[in-house]
Amino acid sequence: MIQKTLKSAGHDLAEPTFQLRVLNTPVAGSTHYLPKFRAKLAEANLYPLLPTGIDIFQVNVGKLCNQTCRHCHVDAGPDRREVMQRDTMELCLEALRHSSIPTVDITGGAPEMNPHFRWFVEQVHSMGRHVIVRCNLTIITANKQYGTLPQFFADNGVHIVSSLPFYQQRNTDRQRGDGVFERSVQALHMLNAIGYGQEGSGLELDLVYNPAGAFFPGPQASLESDFRRELQKHHGIAFNKLYVITNMPISRFLEYLIDSGNYSDYMEKLVNSFNPAAAAGVMCRNTISVSWDGYLYDCDFNQMLDLPVAAHAPRHIRDFDVELLAARTIATDQHCYGCTAGSGSSCTGATA
Amino acid sequence: MQNTYYNPADLKKFGDIAEFQPELAKKFFDYYGQVFAEGALTAREKSLIALAVAHAVQCPYCIDAYTTDTLEKGVTEEQMMEAVHVAAAIRGGASLVHGVQMMNKAKALTM
Ligand code: SF4
Ligand code: SF4
C-alpha cells in the first residue's frame, strides 16, 4: 500500500492550524467542548508544564519515508521532500558539543533515507553519546545498500527502536502496508543475526507496539510477554524491550479517526483517562526536538503541529542554549491528551 | 422516550444506575472491579471469558465493551472469534444434549 501523504493529496488535515482547529472545536453534531488540556494540568498542579532538564536530543532528519503508514503523525512518505541538510546537522553537532546531553534520538520519516544519515550517526557516536535510531525495519530490506545497515548500526553502537504494531501479519499490514510484516520479520532476522536483541551482545533492539485502530494499548508488561513468546515461537525473533505507545490524534491518525467515525469516542476516552502521574512524566519535560530545518520544539508531535518552543526560548538550533531552554515553559494543546491517558505514552513507552 | 431499546451512548451511562439505588450499585461496581482484576486468572483471560459470555447472553453493551477490552489487552482476532465459538458450542450443545431427553420421552411413548 503506497498511498499519498495528506500533503500531496492536498488534504485539509495536512495543515497544522486545521488540525488544531479540529481538536479545539466540538465534534460535528455536538456543542460539547472537551475540557482544555491546560485546565487538567492545572488541576494536577502541573501548569505551566516545565522541563526537568534535557536528557534527550531528538533530531527529525526528514519526512521522507519508504512507507505511508495509516497512523503516521509525521505524514511521512515517499513523496515528501523535507530532508535535513548537512549544515543543519553540523549545527546539531555544535550544539551537542557545547552540552552534555547524553542521548541523541534520530527519527524521521525513515532517517536512513537522509543522504547524510551515516555521517551524522558516526559523528554523534564519536562524541560518545548514546545514539538511538528509530528504524522502520523495512528500509533494511529496501535495497542492497540499505542491507548493510545492520552492520553499520552495530559498528556505531546504535540502539535500535522499531515499530511493529503486532506480532501477526494481518494487523501489521493493515496499519503499515501490504507485505510490511514479512519484510519486518526479514529485517529482524538480519538484526538478530548480527547480535541485536541477543543477551550479552550489548546491541539493543527495542520494539514499539501501537494499536492498529481506534483503541488504547493494554499494559506494557503483558503485551511484551505476548510479543516475546509469539515472535520467538513463530519466527525465532528476539528483542529487548517492548514500548507501548498510544496513537496521537493528529495528522494521518486524526484523518483515520474522523473517516472511521471514531473521533469523538476516542477523544472522550483520552480525556477521561487523563492520569496526573502520566502527565508528570511526559517526555517533553526532558526532551528537545529539532526539525529538518533546524527549528526547536518541545516534542516531535508539537513539531508536526508547528507549535514551536516558547517565545522566550531560543527557537533555532543555531541559537541552542541548554540553560535558556531548560527555563522555558512547554507549549501544550488538546493533542497532549494522547500522552497522558492511562499508563501514559512517550517515545519510550508508558510513563506511569 | 427513545424509539429504540438499545442506544450505544447508554453504555457510558452504566454508572448512572447508582442514581436510583446507590448502595447496591456501589457494591456491584466494587465487586465487578475486583472480579476483573489480575488474579488466579489473568486480566486478559478474564476479558476473553467476558467476551464469550457477552455473546452467550447476547448483550450488545457487553459485546461493545469487551471487544474493545480484548483488543486493548492484545488478544488476537482469531482468539476473539474462537471465544465466540466456545459460547456458540456451549449454547448449541446445551440444546442438543436435551435431545437425549426428547429421545427418552419419545421412546417411553412409542412402541
Ligand atoms: S510511521 Fe514511521 S515508517 Fe510509517 S510512514 Fe510514518 S515515519 Fe514512515
Ligand atoms: S504532545 Fe508533546 S508537549 Fe504535549 S504532552 Fe506530549 S510530549 Fe508534551
Side-chain angles (χ1 to χ4, degrees), chain A residues 165-185:
Chain A
F166 209 52
Y167 48 76
Q168 288 188 326
Q169 181 240 328
R170 188 158 22 136
N171 314 57
T172 301
D173 286 3
R174 275 199 300 232
Q175 181 182 96
R176 294 178 79 79
D178 289 341
V180 166
F181 185 77
E182 213 183 296
R183 281 183 280 131
S184 300
V185 165

Side-chain angles (χ1 to χ4, degrees), chain A residues 39 65 166 241 267 296:
Chain A
C65 189
F166 209 52
K241 285 192 282 251
M267 282 310 291
L296 302 176

Side-chain angles (χ1 to χ4, degrees), chain A residues 170 174 216 218 265 269, chain B residues 12 44 72 74 76-78:
Chain A
R170 188 158 22 136
R174 275 199 300 232
F216 285 10
D265 280 352
K269 204 167 155 190
Chain B
K12 286 187 206 125
R44 186 186 194 275
E72 293 188 346
T76 68
E77 291 166 359
E78 288 90 337

Side-chain angles (χ1 to χ4, degrees), chain A residues 30-145:
Chain A
S30 149
T31 51
H32 173 66
Y33 280 87
L34 291 170
K36 291 289 177 205
F37 184 73
R38 58 173 181 272
K40 286 274 186 187
L41 280 183
E43 274 169 35
N45 288 323
L46 286 167
Y47 188 79
L49 192 60
L50 300 173
T52 52
I54 303 180
D55 302 323
I56 301 165
F57 186 90
Q58 191 173 59
V59 192
N60 191 313
V61 296
K63 299 182 181 181
L64 177 63
C65 189
N66 58 322
Q67 293 184 182
T68 41
C69 308
R70 289 185 73 185
H71 70 297
C72 185
H73 75 270
V74 177
D75 192 25
D79 54 33
R80 298 301 298 256
R81 294 291 164 262
E82 301 89 332
V83 166
M84 187 178 273
Q85 300 301 310
R86 182 134 160 181
D87 53 352
T88 311
M89 287 180 173
E90 300 264 16
L91 292 172
C92 290
L93 296 171
E94 191 59 21
L96 286 166
R97 238 171 256 129
H98 289 102
S99 76
S100 53
I101 303 172
T103 301
V104 178
D105 183 339
I106 304 173
T107 188
E112 302 87 343
M113 291 175 85
N114 181 305
H116 314 293
F117 169 77
R118 293 192 195 212
W119 171 80
F120 186 59
V121 169
E122 281 163 354
Q123 296 298 311
V124 178
H125 175 62
S126 70
M127 292 168 81
R129 309 299 165 97
H130 178 71
V131 186
I132 295 173
V133 171
R134 298 197 176 257
C135 168
N136 71 13
L137 297 174
T138 60
I139 192 68
I140 294 177
T141 66
N143 65 33
K144 218 168 154 196
Q145 185 208 339

